[in-house]
Amino acid sequence: MVIGFIGSGHIGSALARLAVDAGHSVVMSNSRGPETLADLVESLGPAASASTAEGAAEAGDVVVVTVPFHAYRRVPVEPLAGKIVIDTNNYYFERDGRFPQIDSGEKTPSGLLQEHLPTSRVVKGFNNIMAAHLLSDGTPPGTPNRRALPIAGDDPEAKRVVADLTDSFGFDVVDVGPLSEGWRHDRDRPAYVSRFNAEELRAALARA
């Protein structure tokens, strides 16, 4: 596949490395312009290129949105119509400012992104693991005590694609359910950041 990246920070760069290693092509973007991504693209190799956010959105069969949460409204809408969008974002009020709808529990971060992208198929994933651990903790399928990561989304086919990607990157998958349940692996929840196998992750999600 071609995987587009809107955001090329620590998480985006780590996921791009995993994607390239798994045989995919990646199109990277950030808020500063393609020319600032030359070193990253070079390090990722010939399967990587740089573009604008709109270009990455248009090019990607699947698109990863991995920007600071407060910038979610700047994610391009039209180029992502009908596409699978993986949302890695986390809401940190210290950085992002207060979003009363999230603070009250009325909305979730991924739910707001889905509202912003009404014709896209948003799947929440890769938000509860540190970038360094994405590159160090992956193991082949069937490895005992393999680390598991959660996903949440409303479209079954989109979740299947993201689950397959996650597995190819070295991690078991626990399906949390609809996107509205994605708060269970948000910041400060029991499932956040800590290393769990699938059984342990299900238990941590249930404690949220």
Side-chain angles (χ1 to χ4, degrees), residues 49-200:
S49 61
S51 185
T52 61
E54 290 78 8
E58 290 171 355
D61 301 308
V62 172
V63 178
V64 180
V65 171
T66 179
V67 297
F69 175 72
H70 65 78
Y72 83 90
R73 296 186 187 93
R74 296 202 292 270
V75 173
V77 177
E78 293 303 324
L80 293 173
K83 295 192 177 186
I84 297 170
V85 173
I86 303 175
D87 176 28
T88 78
N89 297 340
N90 285 299
Y91 166 53
Y92 298 106
F93 65 82
E94 302 92 337
R95 175 196 65 191
D96 299 315
R98 289 287 188 180
F99 284 72
Q101 291 175 304
I102 297 177
D103 294 338
S104 69
E106 178 186 354
K107 303 283 187 179
T108 66
S110 293
L112 287 176
L113 180 64
Q114 180 67 86
E115 290 181 10
H116 175 67
L117 302 173
T119 59
S120 301
R121 296 177 286 166
V122 174
V123 178
K124 186 183 184 77
F126 302 112
N127 76 297
N128 74 322
I129 181 171
M130 297 175 67
H133 294 166
L134 278 169
L135 298 174
S136 66
D137 285 8
T139 55
T143 300
N145 203 39
R146 192 187 196 206
R147 184 164 182 171
L149 299 178
I151 62 171
D154 297 331
D155 185 283
E157 172 62 15
K159 285 200 288 188
R160 184 194 65 76
V161 170
V162 176
D164 288 348
L165 267 180
T166 304
D167 181 60
S168 74
F169 291 172
F171 302 92
D172 282 346
V173 178
V174 172
D175 186 345
V176 179
L179 198 62
S180 59
E181 291 295 297
W183 63 270
R184 293 184 179 276
H185 46 105
D186 274 340
R187 170 201 182 175
D188 297 333
R189 301 292 180 178
Y192 188 67
V193 176
S194 297
R195 188 199 187 286
F196 296 114
N197 63 29
E199 181 179 358
E200 293 165 340

